[in-house]
């Protein structure tokens, strides 16, 4: 079986995104670089970025796996909640 990229895998997932409110709130002032890099590496959808010494997150395309919540332990991720109502991810395969 050919290896699929993250973008290919996410192409078969349906997202209904709340464009106005993220279900995850990050601590943009968090400075522990080692912990931030673990958070960036752990996200299977590659939604966390560490650029110019700053943690950046884009909630659109979140798989709602909770990995960031567990890895962060309340430090880099301030809060993690399920998206409201019918918002969020809808899996079709797997």
């Amino acid at each position: 079986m050919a290896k699929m990229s993250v973008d290919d895998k996410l192409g078969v997932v349906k997202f209904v995104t709340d464009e106005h409110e993220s279900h995850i709130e990050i601590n943009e002032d968090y400075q522990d670089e080692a912990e931030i890099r673990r958070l960036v590496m752990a996200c299977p959808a590659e939604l966390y970025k560490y650029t110019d010494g700053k943690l950046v997150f884009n909630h659109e395309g979140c798989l709602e796996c909770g990995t960031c919540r567990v890895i962060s332990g309340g430090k880099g991720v301030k809060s993690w909640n399920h998206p409201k109502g019918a918002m969020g991810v809808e899996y079709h395969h797997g």
Side-chain angles (χ1 to χ4, degrees), residues 14-39:
K14 179 182 176 189
F15 297 95
V16 180
T17 304
D18 185 346
E19 296 178 11
H20 304 291
E21 187 174 335
S22 175
H23 62 288
I24 297 173
E25 181 183 359
I26 64 166
N27 182 353
E28 294 177 355
D29 298 324
Y30 189 62
Q31 297 296 313
D32 187 334
E33 190 171 321
E35 291 293 319
I36 290 171
R37 292 197 185 280
R38 283 181 3 132
L39 184 60

Side-chain angles (χ1 to χ4, degrees), residues 1 4 12-14 21 24 28-30 37-38 42 46-48 50 54 59 61-62 73-74 76 79 81 87 91 94:
M1 175 179 248
M4 292 178 69
V12 297
V13 178
K14 179 182 176 189
E21 187 174 335
I24 297 173
E28 294 177 355
D29 298 324
Y30 189 62
R37 292 197 185 280
R38 283 181 3 132
E46 300 179 346
L47 299 178
Y48 289 88
Y50 186 57
K54 188 169 177 106
H59 73 282
C62 180
S79 68
N81 299 291
M87 299 291 181
Y91 293 100

